[in-house]
């Protein structure tokens, strides 16, 4: 849920931001750029939770962690905030193409819907 929420919110925000510049018009370059930036945001937001989850799962029955929050605090205290972003690059390499393809397909399907169905059936979008 966290990743999907981060992707959806940031995609629309980046799309609006990029459209407000003179460099982008509605098209493939806009959708690619906004979705790539959205993947960056989603990776950055979810990375700490992935690190904590992995640490708790790998700790086994002799885990020093009593809860996810306590694990996050302990990791930051012992290793620093940067430890929460270990593995960020492989996560981005995995998540960026998925995010880019998802939003490019979304925009293509949205265009097909509006061009083939909505206009002919007087569907209003405001």
């Amino acid at each position: 849920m966290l990743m999907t929420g981060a992707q959806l919110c940031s995609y629309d925000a980046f799309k609006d931001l990029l459209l407000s510049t003179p460099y982008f018009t509605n098209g493939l370059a806009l959708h690619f750029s906004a979705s790539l930036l959205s993947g960056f945001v989603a990776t950055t937001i979810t990375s700490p939770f992935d690190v904590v989850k992995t640490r708790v799962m790998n700790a086994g029955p002799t885990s020093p962690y009593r809860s996810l929050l306590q694990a996050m605090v302990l990791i930051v205290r012992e290793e620093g905030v940067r430890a929460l972003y270990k593995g960020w690059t492989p996560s981005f390499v995995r998540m960026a193409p998925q995010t880019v393809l998802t939003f490019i397909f979304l925009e293509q399907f949205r265009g097909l819907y509006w061009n083939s169905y909505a206009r002919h059936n007087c569907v209003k979008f405001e």
Side-chain angles (χ1 to χ4, degrees):
M1 284 184 7
L2 189 63
M3 180 183 73
T4 303
Q7 285 174 323
L8 290 172
C9 294
S10 63
Y11 175 73
D12 286 334
F14 282 124
K15 190 172 148 186
D16 290 343
L17 180 71
L18 293 173
L19 275 174
S20 70
T21 69
Y23 306 109
F24 289 95
T25 59
N26 197 9
L28 188 60
L30 170 71
H31 303 152
F32 178 83
S33 301
S35 59
L36 187 65
L37 291 167
S38 176
F40 179 87
V41 169
T43 303
T44 303
I45 288 174
T46 59
S47 185
F49 298 99
D50 287 340
V51 168
V52 171
K53 178 190 70 141
T54 302
R55 296 275 184 97
V56 169
M57 288 173 57
N58 289 337
T62 60
S63 174
Y65 311 120
R66 292 186 307 273
S67 69
L68 293 175
L69 182 60
Q70 190 259 348
M72 186 176 281
V73 169
L74 196 59
I75 291 168
V76 170
R77 187 179 300 146
E78 292 178 357
E79 301 174 49
V81 174
R82 292 182 70 183
L84 295 175
Y85 293 94
K86 286 184 178 177
W88 185 92
T89 301
S91 292
F92 180 71
V93 167
R94 178 183 54 85
M95 197 176 296
Q98 180 265 332
T99 305
V100 167
L101 291 174
T102 297
F103 286 114
I104 286 177
F105 286 135
L106 169 76
E107 294 292 347
Q108 296 303 312
F109 288 133
R110 184 181 288 167
L112 286 172
Y113 169 76
W114 284 110
N115 291 332
S116 66
Y117 175 78
R119 287 189 184 156
H120 301 295
N121 293 305
C122 299
V123 175
K124 293 187 171 117
F125 178 73
E126 297 179 35

